Amino acid sequence: MSALLRVEDLRVCFRTMGPLKALVTGTKAPFIDAVCGVSFEIHKGETLALVGESGSGKSTIARTIIGLQRAVSGSIRIDGQEIEELSGAERKPYLRRMAMMFQDPIGSLSPRLTVRSLLTEPFRIHGLKHPDLGGEAERLLRMVGLPADFARRYPHQLSGGQARRVGIARALALNPDLIIADEPTAGLDVSVQGEVLNLLARLQDELGMAILIITHNLNVVRHMTDRMAIMYLGRFIEVGSTERIFDQPRHPYTEALLAANPEPDPDAVLNRIELKGEVPSLMRRPSGCEFHTRCRYAQDICSRVFPEPSASEDAEHSFRCHFPLGRGSDRPLETTLSSAGPKSDDGQS
Ligand code: SF4
C-alpha cells in the first residue's frame, strides 16, 4: 500500500545570527541543524507519534510538512507527489489534504474572529466556495460535541477544552486525509485530556484520517498511536510499533523516557532512571552518539563513533545505539560494535 505521506531524509536548518553579525564575528556557518535526515511514512487511517523533549525537532517537522518552514533538503511526498516540485497554486490541493492543530488551544485561535469565522476560514484561505457556510460551521460544531450557538462565541469565551474542540473542528473543515496534532492535550485538565483523545479517536474511526501526533506525553502515545518515533537533537533514535517500544525499548534514551512516565497504576513499582545533565545545545552537538553525555551505558566508542541505525530481525523496529538494550533486561546487548564500523574523527557518517 502506498503511503499517504512519505518524508525522506528531511533536513531543516535555522539561522543563529544575521549575515552582518556572522561577517563581524567571522562565523562561517551561522546555522544549526534542527532536523537531521529524518525519514518516515504514514498510511491512511494510521496514527504515528513523534516523541521527544522540547527542542528535539518534532514541531519543526510538522511545520515543514505543512509548508510553514522550508527544508534545506529531503523529500515530502503526498500520495507519491513530491511537494517541492509543485508551484504555489499546484501545491494547494495537496496541502489542504493536511490540517494542523496547533499546540496552544486558545492562543492558536485568532481572538478577533467568532467561532463561525474560525471554522469557515479554511474555505476562504483555499478559495473554496460553500453554499451554506453557517450550516457548515454548525455541522462541524456538532461533530466535536459542541452546541450550534457556540458559533457566535469568541475564543476568550471558551474553556481550554472547548477551544481544543473548536481547533479539531477547524482542522476537519476541509475533510483532510491527515491531521497533525501538536501536543493535543497540552494545557488541559487530565479529565478533559481524556475527552479530547476519545473525541479524536472516534473521529478517526468515523472519518478514516491519519493522525501525526507530536507530544512528550507518553500516556497520549500509548492511548492513541500505532507507531512511534523517538527524537533526540533532531534525529530519530528509535522507531517502531508503539506496543513493541513500550514493551521492549532498545535505545537507552527511550528506556529513560518510559521509566520517567507517570504510571497510572498507583500500586505499580516505579523503576526511575535519572538522565544525567541537560539536553545538549544544537550549537554544540556531542561527537559520536549524541546521547553519550547522558547515557548510563556509554562506553569509549560511543563518544567517537556515530551509531548507524540497526533493525530488529523482522525489520519492524529500528534504533541507533552501539549497545541496544536486551529483551527483558536492564543491561545492553554487546552486539553491534562490529557492525558500527569506523567513521570520521568527529564520529559523523
Ligand atoms: Fe548509550 Fe552508547 Fe547507545 Fe549512545 S551508542 S545510546 S552512548 S550505549
Side-chain angles (χ1 to χ4, degrees):
M1 185 172 51
S2 73
L4 170 65
L5 172 73
R6 173 167 288 143
V7 174
E8 281 180 304
D9 209 13
L10 188 72
R11 184 165 167 248
V12 183
C13 294
F14 292 130
R15 209 171 234 292
T16 54
M17 62 183 74
L20 187 60
K21 188 170 178 191
L23 195 67
V24 171
T25 58
T27 308
K28 288 193 182 119
F31 302 100
I32 52 167
D33 286 326
V35 176
C36 314
V38 160
S39 301
F40 63 96
E41 55 186 43
I42 304 180
H43 295 267
K44 197 169 184 307
E46 186 183 34
T47 306
L48 170 71
L50 302 185
V51 180
E53 293 165 282
S54 293
S56 58
K58 313 180 296 289
S59 297
T60 303
I61 291 175
R63 293 174 62 82
T64 309
I65 291 171
I66 61 166
L68 293 178
Q69 178 72 46
R70 291 302 298 266
V72 173
S73 60
S75 160
I76 299 173
R77 291 177 182 272
I78 300 173
D79 268 344
Q81 173 61 55
E82 174 60 59
I83 296 301
E84 257 320 296
E85 290 170 355
L86 302 174
S87 68
E90 290 170 332
R91 203 175 285 195
K92 272 195 166 182
Y94 286 92
L95 292 183
R96 71 171 171 252
R97 296 181 60 186
M98 303 183 285
M100 178 113 180
M101 287 166 50
F102 291 94
Q103 198 173 124
D104 178 356
I106 296 180
S108 61
L109 303 175
S110 174
R112 285 195 295 271
L113 296 182
T114 61
V115 167
R116 179 190 190 279
S117 299
L118 287 164
L119 296 183
T120 55
E121 196 180 31
F123 290 91
R124 282 191 292 279
I125 291 171
H126 286 271
L128 299 174
K129 293 201 175 358
H130 192 290
D132 179 14
L133 283 174
E136 180 63 15
E138 290 181 10
R139 185 185 74 85
L140 290 166
L141 284 171
R142 276 197 303 278
M143 283 177 82
V144 297
L146 291 175
D149 63 3
F150 268 56
R152 291 194 295 275
R153 296 196 183 189
Y154 286 88
H156 72 272
Q157 297 171 309
L158 304 173
S159 68
Q162 290 163 351
R164 179 48 87 207
R165 283 173 188 264
V166 169
I168 294 171
R170 183 180 153 99
L172 293 174
L174 300 184
N175 198 19
D177 295 316
L178 171 68
I179 287 190
I180 301 175
D182 193 355
E183 297 288 4
T185 58
L188 302 179
D189 293 343
V190 175
S191 61
V192 181
Q193 289 182 14
E195 288 172 18
V196 166
L197 294 180
N198 288 336
L199 173 64
L200 268 177
R202 176 175 64 75
L203 290 168
Q204 185 178 31
D205 271 354
E206 288 172 13
L207 305 173
M209 72 266 189
I211 304 180
L212 175 63
I213 291 188
I214 292 159
T215 187
H216 63 272
N217 184 334
L218 288 166
N219 291 325
V220 171
V221 176
R222 190 170 216 168
H223 184 79
M224 283 288 294
T225 66
D226 305 304
R227 288 188 302 126
M228 62 194 285
I230 313 286
M231 294 195 70
Y232 193 73
L233 295 184
R235 296 184 204 280
F236 282 1
I237 49 110
E238 182 156 12
V239 185
S241 81
T242 301
E243 192 179 353
R244 175 90 67 96
I245 290 182
F246 269 86
D247 201 31
Q248 297 166 15
R250 305 299 303 276
H251 195 286
Y253 178 59
T254 312
E255 177 196 46
L257 286 184
L258 295 182
N261 190 39
E263 180 54 64
D265 176 1
D267 298 326
V269 180
L270 296 177
N271 183 21
R272 297 234 181 270
I273 298 168
E274 203 164 322
L275 280 175
K276 292 184 281 180
E278 300 289 317
V279 182
S281 163
L282 289 171
M283 296 174 77
R284 284 183 295 281
R285 288 175 175 273
S287 60
C289 170
E290 291 166 341
F291 185 58
H292 84 261
T293 55
R294 305 170 79 195
C295 181
R296 64 179 180 150
Y297 304 119
Q299 299 191 29
D300 183 47
I301 189 176
C302 300
S303 61
R304 292 185 287 106
V305 179
F306 182 68
E308 293 299 324
S310 310
S312 60
E313 281 168 14
D314 59 8
E316 291 289 316
H317 184 178
S318 71
F319 33 85
R320 277 183 192 271
C321 176
H322 296 310
F323 305 100
L325 299 164
R327 293 183 179 192
S329 160
D330 67 348
R331 301 177 68 81
L333 291 171
E334 297 187 17
T335 54
T336 57
L337 266 176
S338 57
S339 67
K343 298 289 180 301
S344 58
D345 287 348
D346 67 358
Q348 306 295 310
S349 58

